[in-house]
Amino acid sequence: MIKEQEKFADSNLLEGMVSIRAVLEMQASSHNDRRIIEILYAEERVPSHGKELAWLAHRADEFGFTITQAPMETLDTMAIGSSHGGVIARTSTRTLPSLTADTVAALPRDGFFVMLEGIEDPYNFGYAMRSLYAAGVDAIILPKRNWMSAAGVVCRASAGASERFPMYVAEDGCDAVTLLRAHGCRILCADIENSVSVYDAELTRPLFLIVGGEKRGISRKVLEMADAVVRLDYGRPFDGALSAASAASILAFEVYRQNRG
């Protein structure tokens, strides 16, 4: 099992059937070029006569990757944690396209797009992806420093959502705001100063939401470009800040609530 300090290293190893199914769903996708190279499985957890392995073998014939039996000890040594379920995939690196006028033009005109700035942990990044995908976000805009190099951790934490999302890397937050405003989006930032409660804000799509991490928050330049700044009101006095993943989840589902009709 990989040690704690190695968990954040670059990795294209995806662990468990949930992550692997998500990648396989995207094999013919135009917005995700990650491909499976090899699947390793442990016979005692994924029997060769079982339905899961038969399904993987069919996908291997379709997409041209190999399936190899390996001792459980080998998988445990490769994996982060012990929840791989006896199956691990070696994959290629996913190309993340740049956010440009051309890539923005291909996005939905009434879309809901989210940028996460300054999240310090790949697990939290993955948890945020899971909620944002469930809430109906159309694409994720990433800063140049992001956690998609730790693809295995992010995919597992997001229950595969990170592989299903269209993702684009912005030059910086200001550039992303400029491009998506030209696409017709209102720009919404999550912060406290000069803010309105998210429950009183108009969150009609098309919308570009920017959520900052707990430590650094959103840059001042981006805040100054926002059409509105929203805050999360608490149910009791509390000085602590929610995690970026929790804040993004609540905000995204409020956007969904206001646009669900």
Side-chain angles (χ1 to χ4, degrees), residues 131-210:
S131 296
L132 295 175
Y133 191 83
V137 172
D138 293 293
I140 299 296
I141 314 303
L142 299 171
K144 285 187 173 181
R145 181 187 180 278
N146 62 72
W147 286 114
M148 284 308 294
S149 58
V153 170
V154 173
C155 188
R156 189 168 50 140
S158 71
S162 60
E163 293 300 312
R164 295 183 174 96
F165 258 130
M167 292 186 176
Y168 303 89
V169 177
E171 186 66 27
D172 55 41
C174 295
D175 190 56
V177 168
T178 299
L179 287 166
L180 285 163
R181 175 171 280 137
H183 193 61
C185 293
R186 290 184 68 239
I187 311 302
L188 202 69
C189 287
D191 201 53
I192 298 298
E193 189 176 345
N194 300 319
S195 63
V196 60
S197 170
V198 68
Y199 305 114
D200 297 324
E202 180 184 345
L203 305 178
T204 307
R205 298 166 65 136
L207 192 67
F208 178 34
L209 170 65
I210 304 166

Side-chain angles (χ1 to χ4, degrees), residues 11-258:
S11 172
N12 289 315
L13 285 178
L14 272 66
E15 305 172 18
M17 283 300 299
V18 171
S19 295
I20 291 171
R21 284 182 182 276
V23 176
L24 286 170
E25 286 177 15
M26 298 292 105
Q27 293 294 280
S29 168
S30 61
H31 66 256
N32 188 341
D33 64 351
R34 189 189 305 283
R35 297 294 177 258
I36 291 180
I37 299 167
E38 179 185 26
I39 287 180
L40 303 170
Y41 75 96
E43 171 73 24
E44 56 264 47
R45 297 291 296 275
V46 186
S48 58
H49 60 274
K51 291 183 179 180
E52 282 188 341
L53 196 64
W55 183 81
L56 289 172
H58 184 70
R59 299 283 85 77
D61 290 339
E62 183 178 358
F63 297 116
F65 57 84
T66 60
I67 300 180
T68 304
Q69 185 178 344
M72 180 65 88
E73 293 78 10
T74 299
L75 271 62
D76 286 341
T77 299
M78 297 167 62
I80 298 173
S82 57
S83 60
H84 53 75
V87 59
I88 289 177
R90 299 182 192 273
T91 74
S92 63
T93 300
R94 178 178 178 180
T95 303
L96 297 175
S98 297
L99 190 73
T100 65
D102 289 339
T103 53
V104 167
L107 295 174
R109 298 299 303 187
D110 64 342
F112 176 25
F113 315 109
V114 174
M115 184 174 194
L116 300 171
E117 279 198 329
I119 291 185
E120 302 291 331
D121 182 278
Y123 290 102
N124 286 338
F125 182 73
Y127 299 146
M129 294 295 102
R130 185 190 303 208
S131 296
L132 295 175
Y133 191 83
V137 172
D138 293 293
I140 299 296
I141 314 303
L142 299 171
K144 285 187 173 181
R145 181 187 180 278
N146 62 72
W147 286 114
M148 284 308 294
S149 58
V153 170
V154 173
C155 188
R156 189 168 50 140
S158 71
S162 60
E163 293 300 312
R164 295 183 174 96
F165 258 130
M167 292 186 176
Y168 303 89
V169 177
E171 186 66 27
D172 55 41
C174 295
D175 190 56
V177 168
T178 299
L179 287 166
L180 285 163
R181 175 171 280 137
H183 193 61
C185 293
R186 290 184 68 239
I187 311 302
L188 202 69
C189 287
D191 201 53
I192 298 298
E193 189 176 345
N194 300 319
S195 63
V196 60
S197 170
V198 68
Y199 305 114
D200 297 324
E202 180 184 345
L203 305 178
T204 307
R205 298 166 65 136
L207 192 67
F208 178 34
L209 170 65
I210 304 166
V211 180
E214 301 94 299
K215 291 184 179 180
R216 293 194 299 273
I218 302 171
S219 67
R220 176 56 54 186
K221 287 184 178 180
V222 172
L223 283 169
E224 291 172 352
M225 297 176 73
D227 295 309
V229 178
V230 296
R231 67 177 184 274
L232 289 173
D233 290 337
Y234 293 173
R236 58 164 53 90
F238 179 54
D239 293 333
L242 296 183
S243 70
S246 296
S249 301
I250 296 167
L251 291 165
F253 274 98
E254 178 62 15
V255 173
Y256 165 70
R257 187 190 71 81
Q258 291 196 22

